[in-house]
Amino acid sequence: MTAARGTAAGEAAARGTSAKETAVYTHGHHESVLRSHRWRTAENSAAYLIGELRPGMRVLDVGCGPGTITADLAERVAPDGRVTAVDAAEDVLEQARAYAAERGLGDSVSFATADVHALDFPDDSFDVVHAHQVLQHVGDPVRALREMRRVCRPGGIVAARDADYAAMTWYPASPGLDDWLGLYRRVARANGGEPDAGRHLRAWARQAGFTDVTSSATAWCFATPEEIAWWSTLWADRTQASAYAATGGGHTTPARLAAVAEAWHAWGADPDAWFSVLNAEILCRV
Ligand SMILES: C[S@@+](CC[C@H](N)C(=O)[O-])C[C@H]1O[C@@H](n2cnc3c(N)ncnc32)[C@H](O)[C@@H]1O
């Protein structure tokens, strides 16, 4: 299914893209989703890119969400650098703007709505074009990477990092969490995305025409009591209250969703609980 975001077919036609390139953003921006996105920093989510950043650079952050990574990138290219942050959803950009203001970033960061498949910037506009946990949600990730390359100057860098859901692993075993993973992967695919994006990133970059691609992988690991409580509660809440819960309802029953949420709580109460999220990364030289 390539279901449209709002009137995406019409919007896509107006942009010169096809509805095939649109996908429904599986998570949406419910508070339970943003609780996990706001935890992200350049250090825990873009370490593979940090060494490439220099003061004065022009950075495009695609699919910026609530903008915590965006703000860190802006500090890394200060004092003269600029970050332009775009997202398909206007509601989350409001929150990202407020966060950047709280951080006192002034006009070193600006925000706009945009679809990564058809960016409204001239060729060669940026030194670095970055997308964190975005390509897994788009209808045509190869076209997205081509578009990211188009707006990046020759010699610049296109950087992307995505989780690979099938490679997520945890302890102790839980049939309810197995159910969660199977359901999430079905829903994400039905929405037009690729939940196991991590393993595809290198191939997508090569299909997009990049010849200089550096691949790496890093994991998030949640193991302290605080981390486990945070991760298990936010997924229990996401399973019941986020956009994923709403679309998930079309693929399972409310009772099964409730059982998955309960499984997250039960798993999170185990003092031995441990969870790891594998993330693949690509640095593509333009
Ligand atoms: C998982 S969130 C990641 C947010 C942020 N990069 C982070 O890691 O905290 C993915 C974001 O991509 C945005 N998104 C989804 N499809 C998009 C598209 N086609 N173009 C631009 N942004 C898109 C969503 O609205 C969402 O805010």
Side-chain angles (χ1 to χ4, degrees):
M1 186 175 99
T2 51
R5 181 188 301 109
T7 55
E11 290 165 9
R15 284 194 306 269
T17 63
S18 76
K20 179 184 165 297
E21 289 149 12
T22 65
V24 171
Y25 174 47
T26 296
H27 300 297
H29 295 102
H30 184 263
E31 181 280 326
S32 57
V33 175
L34 297 183
R35 216 184 296 160
S36 72
H37 295 178
R38 287 203 187 94
W39 162 83
R40 298 175 185 167
T41 64
E43 286 73 18
N44 69 27
S45 299
Y48 72 108
L49 171 64
I50 284 174
E52 304 289 336
L53 299 176
R54 303 279 179 273
M57 280 183 160
R58 301 158 300 164
V59 178
L60 176 65
D61 190 18
V62 176
C64 64
T68 54
I69 300 173
T70 312
D72 286 353
L73 298 179
E75 285 180 348
R76 301 258 170 185
V77 298
D80 302 319
R82 295 281 176 275
V83 178
T84 305
V86 299
D87 200 284
E90 179 57 34
D91 57 345
V92 79
L93 287 175
E94 276 309 308
Q95 304 193 39
R97 281 188 192 98
Y99 179 73
E102 255 173 53
R103 293 263 301 252
L105 292 169
D107 62 5
S108 64
V109 190
S110 59
F111 297 92
T113 45
D115 181 344
V116 65
H117 300 100
L119 294 167
D120 195 13
F121 301 105
D123 295 359
D124 309 342
S125 296
F126 301 97
D127 302 297
V128 172
V129 181
H130 167 256
H132 185 252
Q133 310 295 352
V134 177
L135 295 180
Q136 65 190 278
H137 295 295
V138 309
D140 189 339
V142 174
R143 177 165 177 155
L145 280 163
R146 282 199 197 106
E147 190 62 351
M148 290 166 72
R149 185 183 56 185
R150 180 186 69 74
V151 301
C152 190
R153 69 160 169 84
I157 285 182
V158 170
R161 184 173 191 259
D162 272 273
D164 189 306
Y165 272 76
M168 290 186 189
T169 191
W170 58 84
Y171 184 89
S174 158
L177 263 64
D178 292 344
D179 230 24
W180 159 75
L181 184 60
L183 176 65
Y184 177 81
R185 291 172 73 237
R186 283 201 301 284
V187 171
R189 290 216 167 103
N191 281 343
E194 174 45 68
D196 305 339
R199 70 191 64 189
H200 293 265
L201 283 186
R202 184 175 176 81
W204 287 342
R206 284 164 44 77
Q207 286 167 43
F210 288 104
T211 52
D212 183 348
V213 181
T214 303
S215 299
S216 54
T218 50
W220 290 324
C221 181
F222 307 122
T224 68
E226 295 74 23
E227 289 166 345
I228 291 294
W230 169 76
W231 184 246
S232 59
T233 305
L234 75 82
W235 265 110
D237 293 350
R238 281 164 85 153
T239 301
Q240 301 241 263
S242 70
Y244 155 64
T247 43
H251 296 261
T252 190
T253 61
R256 201 147 166 214
L257 277 178
V260 167
E262 188 42 47
W264 272 109
H265 285 306
W267 176 85
D270 191 309
D272 293 325
W274 178 95
F275 200 105
S276 181
V277 176
L278 184 72
N279 291 287
E281 302 151 348
I282 47 169
L283 281 180
C284 311
R285 185 71 62 182
V286 176

